[in-house]
Amino acid sequence: MLRVDVAEKRKSRGILLRHDNDRIRILAAVERKGALFEVRRTIIITLSLAILLAPPLLGWVRLDLWGGAHRLLGEQVDALTATKGFVVAMALLWGLTFASNVVVGRFFCGWGCPVGYVSRLGEHVTLAKSRIAKAWHHLAGAGFAATFVAAVMLWWVDPSVLVDGDLKAKGIVVGVFVVLWIGARLHASRWRFGFCLGACPIGLYYRLVTSKAPIGIAFSEVPDPCIACHACEKVCPVDLDPKRLGEEVESAPDTVDGPPLRYGDAECIRCGDCVEACRMVFLPRPRAVPPLRFGFERTHFDV
Ligand code: SF4
Ligand code: SF4
């Protein structure tokens, strides 16, 4: 069963070291041939980060834990009002991800989650061949991690504390920032998608609520058959066999949401890496249609 497979793989690989050499080799090959989704991925993660950053940065909402400079819709407010605004903002962000989950499953995990992107930037360092390229990817990863940590902290701390605050206040804010940033950098170098697989609380929530979504990964051997190269399985960051996505599983003993699951419904983060790998395998045959695609058609769901 899927969940048993995933648990076994997690155990055998160790949760803190998720450097998957097969995955890295295939990603490198995809990159050499020209990755299809790189630009789209960058646009989506930039949007996602902007959505996280804008409310506190523009003063729409902030619950200032340090100085009490709470903000709501540009005004200074008391803690209770700011808390209400904070709850509404969180509900709106949750609603956004919930709506996307209904239509396209865990697409947010694969494309919009900053923690997932931190993992991907960490992989870029491993993929890079030259020292200069490695240094560049380290820099990009460090910059992204810093922006992400700052975006999270801005919800809780008025940045003016760094100018007007006393030494203790400045020290605490900078200290928290540095600790979180180091955590993000360690995540990029050590944990990566092992976190999505085994520890992400949002991923756990999605596992409970995700059911059939109309958009996902389709596997179809019409018009051209799969050549059983297994590149799609090896590149999957959450250890799925993409060819089986949507296939009905016989039972799912550890589920709490009742109805029988279909393979990968809850685990597939719709990252599209398997689609890119399959496309790369088929590049020498430009007239052939790769059996893995990203779109509305989910062959196994049509049963
Ligand atoms: S099955 Fe494909 S889209 Fe889903 S997580 Fe694995 S590689 Fe990503
Ligand atoms: S990458 Fe494509 S051709 Fe290779 S095993 Fe997967 S579906 Fe088949």
Side-chain angles (χ1 to χ4, degrees):
M1 299 306 305
L2 163 65
R3 282 158 195 274
V4 175
D5 287 350
V6 169
E8 278 173 3
K9 283 180 180 178
R10 196 182 306 158
K11 223 183 286 168
S12 67
R13 287 177 184 207
I15 202 164
L16 278 176
L17 242 189
R18 178 101 179 93
H19 286 202
D20 185 327
N21 290 334
D22 281 338
R23 171 169 163 81
I24 294 295
R25 266 197 297 274
I26 293 167
L27 287 179
V30 167
E31 201 172 75
R32 273 198 304 277
K33 309 269 181 189
L36 187 63
F37 296 148
E38 199 60 42
V39 174
R40 284 172 237 187
R41 211 182 288 286
T42 308
I43 292 171
I44 290 173
I45 195 66
T46 305
L47 266 175
S48 176
L49 205 54
I51 289 171
L52 185 65
L53 198 54
L57 196 64
L58 299 176
W60 295 343
V61 59
R62 176 181 303 118
L63 197 54
D64 184 13
L65 291 184
W66 183 262
H70 313 297
R71 310 285 294 187
L72 188 63
L73 301 177
E75 304 288 330
Q76 184 122 6
V77 293
D78 59 44
L80 183 64
T81 310
T83 304
K84 287 180 189 165
F86 185 85
V87 170
V88 170
M90 286 299 120
L92 286 173
L93 290 178
W94 172 81
L96 262 181
T97 55
F98 182 82
S100 86
N101 189 38
V102 169
V103 181
V104 71
R106 293 182 63 181
F107 177 82
F108 172 77
C109 300
W111 292 72
C113 172
V115 178
Y117 200 66
V118 163
S119 305
R120 210 166 268 280
L121 291 176
E123 288 180 333
H124 283 177
V125 174
T126 312
L127 282 168
K129 292 277 180 238
S130 68
R131 280 190 186 180
I132 293 179
K134 273 194 194 298
W136 164 249
H137 287 298
H138 268 303
L139 204 62
F144 183 83
T147 313
F148 174 42
V149 169
V152 172
M153 285 186 67
L154 277 170
W155 285 81
W156 305 100
V157 182
D158 186 330
S160 66
V161 72
L162 292 172
V163 180
D164 305 330
D166 57 23
L167 204 57
K168 184 179 169 194
K170 287 177 184 168
I172 290 176
V173 170
V174 172
V176 171
F177 176 86
V178 169
V179 167
L180 292 177
W181 181 80
I182 289 174
R185 296 303 291 144
L186 282 174
H187 172 86
S189 67
R190 305 279 298 173
W191 206 350
R192 298 185 182 167
F193 288 100
F195 176 78
C196 311
L197 194 59
C200 175
I202 297 173
L204 176 67
Y205 158 74
Y206 275 145
R207 277 167 201 235
L208 301 180
V209 301
T210 300
S211 59
K212 281 199 288 183
I215 301 178
I217 307 295
F219 172 70
S220 170
E221 298 196 87
V222 179
D224 295 295
C226 166
I227 59 168
C229 67
H230 303 292
C232 53
E233 294 158 51
K234 289 175 181 164
V235 83
C236 178
V238 291
D239 294 329
L240 293 172
D241 176 354
K243 302 187 295 305
R244 291 186 57 203
L245 284 173
E247 192 182 299
E248 207 166 301
V249 293
E250 285 171 28
S251 64
D254 59 344
T255 56
V256 296
D257 54 346
L261 281 179
R262 292 163 194 257
Y263 182 86
D265 264 0
E267 286 81 8
C268 175
I269 55 173
R270 273 40 169 201
C271 66
D273 289 345
C274 54
V275 176
E276 291 229 70
C278 192
R279 173 182 162 269
M280 175 198 67
V281 168
F282 273 72
L283 277 182
R285 301 167 55 199
R287 284 167 185 269
V289 179
L292 275 178
R293 297 154 220 163
F294 205 169
F296 287 92
E297 169 197 13
R298 296 192 69 183
T299 313
H300 292 299
F301 280 165
D302 294 332
V303 291

